[in-house]
Amino acid sequence: LIIESSSSTIIDGNTISGNEGGIWSFDSNGNNISYNVITVNTGDGIYVWDSDTNYISYNTLSSNTGRGIYLYNCYWNYLTSNTAINNNYGIVVEYSRNNTIINNNFNSNVWYGIYLYSSINNTIGNNNALSNYYGIGLSFSNENHIVNNTANYCDMVGIYLLESNNNFLISNIISNNDYDGMYLYNCSNNIITNNIAMYNKGSGIQL
């Protein structure tokens, strides 16, 4: 299912399975993608490119060989109450700003539950990122708010930052990971406060 240069479209209640990809949005703004079941596709579940102010909620994305949800060069999108399990990644956000990603479940994915690359001023809040290889990862991403998330039972690190600066990491639970709870590499000016890091096999917080 492809929407291109479209607005005010409602995509609701569909089952999409066994395709190259699930829902693809190109240069499309102000759409609502909700209550879809997107499984066993060979690409991404929901692929959003150059698209802004979309509302993406209550979708189930499972066993897709790409990413459950992928945002590329997207602004001001709101994602809530989605479940992405057993995909290659739960959600990937690249070159994107000012998106809100709250109250989602990104569990049991092959690599990251939540991954931001070169993205600025996004809010990642109240999400579960459980039993992934990494729970939450930021690379070259600045000024993001990572708040009230749970990143437990990961094969490596619960929350991992690489060359990412001026982020806020507040009130996250990072426990029972096989390496460190939180690991920052070559980062500066991040604020880390009120997090709970327990029962990780490495450090609770490694700088």
Side-chain angles (χ1 to χ4, degrees):
L1 196 161
I2 298 175
I3 56 173
E4 185 171 1
S5 301
S6 300
S7 63
S8 302
T9 301
I10 297 173
I11 302 173
D12 184 286
N14 301 284
T15 299
I16 301 171
S17 182
N19 305 286
E20 180 179 349
I23 297 172
W24 294 353
S25 171
F26 298 96
D27 190 29
S28 294
N29 306 320
N31 299 291
N32 188 322
I33 303 172
S34 300
Y35 294 101
N36 300 285
V37 176
I38 303 171
T39 63
V40 200
N41 298 286
T42 58
D44 298 320
I46 297 175
Y47 181 103
V48 185
W49 182 289
D50 285 337
S51 298
D52 306 328
T53 63
N54 296 287
Y55 187 80
I56 301 171
S57 66
Y58 294 100
N59 299 286
T60 300
L61 309 115
S62 65
S63 303
N64 300 289
T65 58
R67 295 148 291 208
I69 301 172
Y70 179 44
L71 273 62
Y72 183 92
N73 194 33
C74 293
Y75 291 65
W76 301 109
N77 295 283
Y78 190 90
L79 292 83
T80 186
S81 304
N82 300 285
T83 297
I85 57 173
N86 294 320
N87 305 285
N88 203 24
Y89 291 78
I91 182 170
V92 175
V93 180
E94 290 189 326
Y95 302 105
S96 297
R97 296 180 180 230
N98 305 320
N99 299 287
T100 299
I101 300 168
I102 60 170
N103 297 323
N104 302 281
N105 292 301
F106 301 113
N107 303 330
S108 301
N109 298 287
V110 174
W111 293 107
Y112 287 87
I114 302 168
Y115 182 60
L116 275 63
Y117 181 88
S118 194
S119 292
I120 297 172
N121 196 34
N122 299 282
T123 297
I124 311 296
N126 296 307
N127 301 287
N128 290 317
L130 311 177
S131 301
N132 304 286
Y133 196 67
Y134 290 88
I136 301 170
L138 280 69
S139 297
F140 313 104
S141 294
N142 305 323
E143 301 172 18
N144 299 285
H145 290 73
I146 312 299
V147 181
N148 288 325
N149 301 284
T150 301
N152 297 346
Y153 303 108
C154 295
D155 293 336
M156 288 293 289
V157 177
I159 299 177
Y160 175 57
L161 273 66
L162 169 67
E163 298 192 26
S164 296
N165 308 316
N166 302 304
N167 298 285
F168 295 84
L169 297 99
I170 302 171
S171 299
N172 300 285
I173 298 173
I174 39 177
S175 300
N176 294 288
N177 297 292
D178 286 347
Y179 195 59
D180 296 324
M182 184 185 298
Y183 181 48
L184 281 69
Y185 181 80
N186 200 22
C187 299
S188 63
N189 298 318
N190 295 288
I191 294 175
I192 303 168
T193 185
N194 291 330
N195 298 282
I196 297 172
M198 300 187 302
Y199 310 122
N200 301 287
K201 292 184 180 178
S203 300
I205 299 174
Q206 174 75 34
L207 303 176

